[in-house]
């Protein structure tokens, strides 16, 4: 008899919260989500699943855990949503603990299973409902809660105040001038072509990415600006908790800044889930059918720059290179061809990954799993076994991962599974191989 | 119907009024469930605005073609068994001459029928496939973990009319009229239960594929197969 057996994990975000609430509150949250917010999709998906098991081998968690039935996508729904429905919402605190564990640390919401289901049941939507219930109760991994709260207060993930943001940009400009003459990172420039949004970490720990992007913008002669106020960080971590209210608020702030500065397009860096919030998930919540002005991912932006010869490549990278097709921009927006175009223009020795494009396996860190922090690290390392094998099979030395989560997730897999690879962003690769005209150099 | 009033018996009850009941409940149940689903779907703002006929058809065509999706290619035996099973389970009741004779008897309508040998083969294939699916459900660990009473019930509901139909036609095991009556009852039970059990997947398939096909094709620009 297969059982749900797991090593105990302590996460105060879930454990302490459950101590301070009661079953009534839990039932209220469940009723609000399952009877108030959800309707047709929930009912239809739950009824239509014929328990055929075709989704099992699509899931990297199922495969990485040696085909443990409790990790299969339909099994995850069975142990959360079907269980809640069977108990008519009268669930215990231990039940919530189990649902939170499954929804936040055993499913990346990558939707590879949806491709394998004969009915196209959106399993990620159902797991998302479980997350939403946990969010309303407050039983969410502590690290995600912290970032979601940060977004509520500052619209960025690191509790950055507005003056800290301005300070940071100014010293980054300063440092960049050692390489590029008169380098500027324009802030709040009206009527610029492009409003660029960065990842929160790029203002604190990964500043090299922001300066590399600035370098690319300057060399390509792009008329760009960044926000001079809240709204410069696209990360939207509240999305992971299914906190749609905050998620919508952050996306609205991006568009408000864009409208205020009267820019033609918004361009963001290399991230996965944030792109989706800006291009349809958050947009729909705000009442638009599609994004009101073009919201472009870094991959598409680089594709245009290289295709239009605004960036020329000085020397290609010789080492063998492979690619990570991030779920959120390939399965969720079809950018696989653009990524490969850029890689082929900048790298001489590209070995494609298999399976690829929208059939690629999730890095196992996405959907908030890496943001759930240290208590859940082993969950994503274990789930990433098939990803590690996939990369090893290519024999490449460099993995290009145009998504912050995939980047860090694969770096951790690299250490644990000893893959011997370096993981790189397209921003870094392009900044490394692009031609910088003599007159621009400092 | 009139037969039952002229000569009330279990047989004429099952042959007349219960057939009416079974088909009425089947059609009304099915249309009601579809109507309710569509009404609720209008409330969820992410479904209607994005529905696309082109991507719905693309999705459905790939999933109705043998091995048209990556999932089917990854499960070649299961795909073969369920594909053949579905073809036989749908076509046999419609084109078997025994049924067409009854339609002619009641409504003076008839249509082309399959040769009896083929009908027998298809019936046995359905029963054989159901046995294989049952074994798979018990033996394969990931499927077993998901299985509940409703899944065994669905298999039994479909198996019963096919087994009893075959036994009745060849007058095996029980007296002909008795087996025939049992066959008709099991058929009626199956029809009545379709809208209210797992068997409803036969009409929900088209709706869920429309949503997922449109979502993957029109919004996500990728394949849901």
């Amino acid at each position: 008899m297969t059982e749900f057996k797991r090593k105990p994990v302590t996460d105060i975000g879930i454990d302490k919260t459950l101590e301070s609430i009661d079953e009534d509150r839990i039932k209220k949250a469940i009723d609000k989500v399952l009877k108030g917010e959800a309707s047709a999709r929930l009912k239809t998906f739950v009824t239509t699943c014929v328990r055929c098991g075709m989704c099992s081998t699509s899931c990297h968690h199922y495969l990485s855990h040696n085909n443990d039935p409790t990790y299969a996508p339909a099994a995850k729904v069975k142990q959360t949503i079907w269980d809640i429905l069977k108990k008519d919402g009268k669930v215990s605190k231990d039940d919530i603990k189990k649902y939170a564990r499954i929804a936040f640390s055993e499913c990346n919401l990558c939707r590879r299973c949806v491709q394998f289901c004969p009915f196209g049941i959106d399993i990620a939507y159902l797991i998302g409902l479980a997350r939403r219930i946990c969010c309303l109760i407050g039983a969410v991994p502590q690290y995600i809660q912290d970032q979601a709260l940060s977004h509520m207060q500052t619209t960025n993930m690191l509790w950055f105040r507005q003056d800290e943001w301005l300070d940071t940009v100014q010293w980054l400009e300063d440092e960049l001038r050692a390489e590029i003459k008169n380098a500027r990172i324009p802030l709040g420039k009206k009527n610029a072509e492009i409003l660029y949004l960065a990842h929160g970490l790029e203002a604190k720990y990964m500043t090299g990415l922001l300066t590399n992007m600035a370098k690319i913008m300057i060399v390509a002669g792009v008329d760009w600006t960044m926000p001079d106020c809240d709204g410069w960080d696209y990360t939207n971590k509240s999305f992971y908790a299914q906190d749609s209210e905050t998620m919508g608020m952050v996306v609205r702030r991006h568009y408000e800044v864009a409208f205020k500065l009267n820019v033609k397009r918004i361009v963001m860096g290399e991230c996965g889930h944030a792109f989706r919030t800006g291009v349809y998930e958050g947009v729909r919540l705000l009442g638009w059918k599609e994004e009101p002005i073009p919201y472009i991912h870094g991959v598409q932006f680089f594709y245009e720059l290289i295709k239009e010869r605004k960036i020329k490549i000085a020397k290609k990278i010789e080492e063998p290179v492979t690619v990570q097709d991030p779920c959120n921009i390939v399965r969720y927006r079809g950018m696989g061809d653009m990524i490969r175009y850029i890689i082929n223009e900048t790298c001489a020795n590209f070995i494609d990954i298999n399976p690829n494009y929208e059939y690629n396996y999730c890095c196992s860190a996405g959907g908030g799993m890496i943001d759930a922090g240290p208590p859940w690290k082993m969950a994503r390392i274990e789930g990433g076994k098939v990803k590690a094998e996939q990369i090893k099979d290519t024999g490449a030395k460099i993995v290009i991962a145009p998504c912050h989560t995939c980047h860090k997730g694969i770096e951790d897999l690299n250490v644990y599974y000893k893959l011997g690879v370096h993981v790189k962003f397209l921003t870094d690769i392009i900044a490394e191989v692009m031609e910088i005209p003599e007159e621009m150099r400092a | 119907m009139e037969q039952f009033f002229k000569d009330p018996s279990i047989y004429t009850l099952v042959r007349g009024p219960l057939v009416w009941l079974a088909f009425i409940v089947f059609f009304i149940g099915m249309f009601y469930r579809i109507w309710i689903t569509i009404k609720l779907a209008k409330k969820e703002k992410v479904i209607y605005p994005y529905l696309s006929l082109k991507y719905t058809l693309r999705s459905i065509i790939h999933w109705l073609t043998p091995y048209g999706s990556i999932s089917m290619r990854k499960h070649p035996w299961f795909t073969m068994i369920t594909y053949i099973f579905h073809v036989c389970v749908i076509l046999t009741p419609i084109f078997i001459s025994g049924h067409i004779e009854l339609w002619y008897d009641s409504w003076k309508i008839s249509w082309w029928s399959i040769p009896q040998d083929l009908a027998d083969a298809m019936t046995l294939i359905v029963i054989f496939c159901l046995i294989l699916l049952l074994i798979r459900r018990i033996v394969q660990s990931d499927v077993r973990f998901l299985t509940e009473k409703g899944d065994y019930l669905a298999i039994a509901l479909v198996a019963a009319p096919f087994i009893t139909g075959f036994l009745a036609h060849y007058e095996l095991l029980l007296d002909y009229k008795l087996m025939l009556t049992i066959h008709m009852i099991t058929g009626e039970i199956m029809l009545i239960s379709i809208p209210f059990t797992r068997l409803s997947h036969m009409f929900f398939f088209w709706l869920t594929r429309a949503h997922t096909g449109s979502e993957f094709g029109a919004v996500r620009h990728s394949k849901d197969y």
Side-chain angles (χ1 to χ4, degrees):
Chain A
M1 207 25 235
T2 312
E3 268 176 33
F4 180 84
K5 277 208 214 61
R6 304 282 192 267
K7 288 196 205 90
V9 169
T10 312
D11 186 320
I12 53 174
I14 300 173
D15 303 338
K16 280 260 170 325
T17 306
L18 286 173
E19 275 171 32
S20 63
I21 62 165
D22 63 12
E23 274 82 358
D24 268 339
R25 173 102 166 257
I26 294 176
K27 173 99 170 65
K28 262 212 200 103
I30 291 175
D31 285 344
K32 178 170 198 289
V33 175
L34 296 187
K35 295 192 181 143
E37 295 177 353
S39 57
R41 281 183 292 170
L42 170 65
K43 291 198 172 65
T44 315
F45 291 152
V46 165
T47 314
T48 310
C49 173
V50 290
R51 285 87 162 129
C52 70
M54 272 177 113
C55 57
S56 310
T57 52
S58 70
C59 179
H60 51 286
H61 289 285
Y62 175 81
L63 296 171
S64 298
H65 283 100
N66 294 324
N67 298 358
D68 178 343
T70 60
Y71 281 99
K76 289 189 271 222
V77 177
K78 172 180 168 139
Q79 292 168 112
T80 54
I81 295 293
W82 296 354
D83 196 49
I84 298 175
L85 291 173
K86 204 155 70 167
K87 297 177 172 157
D88 192 28
K90 298 189 189 70
V91 305
S92 68
K93 295 189 193 185
D94 277 336
D95 288 333
I96 295 286
K97 205 162 163 189
K98 183 176 174 183
Y99 305 152
R101 178 169 194 151
I102 295 176
F104 286 106
S105 79
E106 295 180 8
C107 177
N108 298 93
L109 308 184
C110 78
R111 287 186 166 91
R112 191 165 191 269
C113 48
V114 184
Q115 292 174 307
F116 277 60
C117 172
F119 300 96
I121 291 172
D122 196 340
I123 289 131
Y125 167 71
L126 297 169
I127 301 288
L129 288 178
R131 285 195 182 192
R132 177 93 178 131
I133 291 170
C134 292
C135 169
L136 293 183
I137 296 171
V140 170
Q142 181 69 7
Y143 280 78
I144 297 182
Q145 280 199 50
D146 177 75
Q147 291 175 93
L149 283 169
S150 173
H151 276 286
M152 275 187 220
Q153 287 211 21
T154 60
T155 74
N156 64 70
M157 60 180 271
L158 290 173
W159 302 94
F160 248 62
R161 293 197 315 267
Q162 293 202 359
D163 59 338
E164 286 172 326
W165 165 241
L166 297 173
D167 264 348
T168 303
V169 171
Q170 282 177 345
W171 68 253
L172 285 178
E173 258 179 5
D174 237 1
E175 296 220 340
L176 190 55
R177 284 197 194 136
E179 285 184 69
I180 306 276
K181 247 189 236 168
N182 298 326
R184 293 302 309 273
I185 298 179
L187 293 178
K189 177 176 174 210
K190 275 209 152 72
N191 302 316
E193 269 254 352
I194 285 175
L195 176 70
Y196 179 65
L197 305 175
H199 192 288
L201 287 176
E202 290 174 32
K204 230 180 193 179
Y205 306 108
M206 298 176 90
T207 51
L209 264 182
L210 186 48
T211 44
N212 272 341
M213 189 49 130
K215 232 199 265 181
I216 296 173
M217 294 283 194
I218 295 168
V219 167
V222 176
D223 177 16
W224 68 306
T225 183
M226 290 196 75
D228 59 349
C229 54
D230 287 339
W232 54 269
D233 174 9
Y234 59 62
T235 48
N236 217 330
K237 302 293 177 113
S238 27
F239 187 34
Y240 291 141
Q242 292 292 301
D243 175 0
S244 17
E245 288 85 0
T246 308
M247 191 256 277
M249 185 265 285
V250 172
V251 173
R252 198 174 76 203
R253 188 63 57 89
H254 298 323
Y255 284 107
E256 278 172 357
V257 175
F259 296 150
K260 185 179 88 180
L261 297 178
N262 196 30
V263 297
K264 299 228 178 46
R265 317 197 286 172
I266 300 178
V267 172
M268 58 168 270
E270 292 171 79
C271 177
H273 74 285
F275 176 58
R276 277 201 301 135
T277 63
V279 109
Y280 52 84
E281 303 271 9
V283 160
R284 290 172 179 185
L285 272 178
L286 297 170
W288 286 306
K289 185 178 171 192
E290 287 156 352
E291 70 270 32
I293 62 171
Y295 188 100
I296 309 290
H297 189 268
V299 161
Q300 184 176 340
F301 183 62
F302 293 145
Y303 171 80
E304 289 171 5
L305 288 184
I306 296 180
K307 201 134 203 249
E308 292 163 17
R309 313 282 289 142
K310 292 204 176 118
I311 289 282
K312 295 189 194 54
I313 308 300
K315 185 164 125 44
K316 286 194 185 184
I317 293 190
E318 296 294 326
E319 286 176 289
V321 154
T322 188
V323 72
Q324 158 68 1
D325 284 307
C327 304
N328 275 313
I329 61 176
V330 180
R331 191 174 302 115
Y332 282 22
R333 203 60 174 176
M335 300 183 123
D337 280 333
M338 281 193 230
I339 297 176
R340 281 159 179 76
Y341 176 83
I342 300 169
I343 294 180
N344 282 317
E345 290 291 310
T346 53
C347 304
N349 186 359
F350 171 55
I351 307 161
D352 211 331
I353 197 136
N354 178 36
N356 62 6
Y357 284 89
E358 59 256 85
Y359 302 121
N360 186 34
Y361 288 111
C362 174
C363 64
S364 194
M369 217 181 275
I370 199 169
D371 299 84
W376 303 104
K377 181 169 179 181
M378 280 321 287
R380 62 180 163 90
I381 297 289
E382 284 167 20
K385 189 163 129 211
V386 296
K387 184 87 236 160
E389 283 163 11
Q390 229 192 336
I391 294 175
K392 219 180 216 159
D393 283 343
T394 64
K397 289 275 157 259
I398 295 178
V399 178
I400 295 184
C403 161
H404 273 259
T405 300
C406 298
H407 190 272
K408 183 68 169 69
I410 296 178
E411 265 183 5
D412 285 345
L413 291 177
N414 176 44
V415 168
Y416 189 84
Y417 290 101
K418 303 190 183 21
L419 303 175
V421 298
H422 288 288
V423 193
K424 297 216 165 173
F425 287 106
L426 285 174
T427 312
D428 290 335
I429 298 245
I430 293 176
E432 194 186 315
V433 303
M434 72 178 175
E435 250 175 42
I436 302 180
E438 268 313 307
E439 62 271 19
M440 285 196 190
R441 290 179 193 271
Chain B
M1 257 301 217
E2 323 82 55
Q3 278 283 26
F4 174 66
F5 294 114
K6 256 193 258 168
D7 165 31
S9 70
I10 296 200
Y11 175 79
T12 51
L13 173 70
V14 167
R15 166 77 181 88
L18 287 190
V19 178
W20 277 95
L21 181 68
F23 275 103
I24 288 174
V25 172
F26 169 66
F27 279 113
I28 292 190
M30 179 170 76
F31 286 129
Y32 172 73
R33 289 210 74 185
I34 296 176
W35 176 74
I36 276 278
T37 304
I38 292 180
K39 201 166 96 131
L40 286 177
K42 290 203 167 110
K43 237 178 69 179
E44 287 203 64
K45 296 185 217 154
V46 303
I47 303 182
Y48 262 77
Y50 304 95
L51 288 177
S52 144
L53 181 63
K54 165 174 154 185
Y55 289 113
T56 302
L57 289 176
R58 182 180 85 158
S59 182
I60 289 179
I61 287 172
H62 276 90
W63 277 97
L64 289 184
T65 310
Y67 307 107
S69 73
I70 183 175
S71 180
M72 290 200 254
R73 294 191 289 273
K74 285 248 182 282
H75 298 95
W77 286 105
F78 181 63
T79 300
M80 187 179 78
I81 295 172
T82 49
Y83 202 87
I84 293 176
F85 164 76
H86 277 100
V87 167
C88 294
V89 96
I90 295 172
L91 295 183
T92 314
I94 301 177
F95 293 105
I96 197 168
S97 56
H99 288 184
I100 298 176
E101 276 166 29
L102 294 176
W103 283 111
Y104 187 77
D105 208 26
S106 300
W107 296 97
K108 299 281 176 287
I109 49 169
S110 75
W111 51 88
W112 175 80
S113 66
I114 47 177
Q116 190 56 40
D117 286 341
L118 183 58
D120 287 344
M122 286 166 78
T123 305
L124 291 174
I125 286 174
V126 166
I127 298 170
F128 183 57
C129 286
L130 283 170
I131 294 175
L132 288 178
L133 291 175
L134 179 63
I135 293 176
R136 175 181 183 269
R137 192 161 281 288
I138 297 174
V139 159
Q140 198 171 308
S141 60
D142 57 328
V143 182
R144 188 174 64 232
F145 184 77
L146 299 174
T147 300
E148 290 158 353
K149 290 194 289 261
D151 306 298
Y152 293 120
L153 178 67
I155 294 180
L157 283 172
V158 177
F162 282 83
I163 295 175
T164 53
F166 187 81
L167 293 176
H169 181 86
Y170 284 103
E171 303 186 36
L172 301 166
L173 227 60
L174 293 175
D175 160 65
Y176 171 68
K177 207 126 190 238
L178 176 59
M179 186 60 94
L180 195 63
T181 309
I182 295 175
H183 168 67
M184 289 197 280
I185 290 180
T186 55
E188 282 145 13
I189 291 175
M190 180 177 130
L191 272 175
I192 290 177
S193 63
I194 287 176
F196 308 109
T197 61
R198 202 78 74 224
L199 299 177
S200 57
H201 73 268
M202 85 181 222
F203 48 83
F204 281 130
F205 169 80
W206 314 96
L207 301 179
T208 54
R209 281 258 70 95
H211 167 60
T212 299
S214 305
E215 184 77 1
F216 269 73
V219 179
R220 304 190 202 267
H221 306 161
S222 68
K223 304 191 194 106
D224 60 323
Y225 50 84

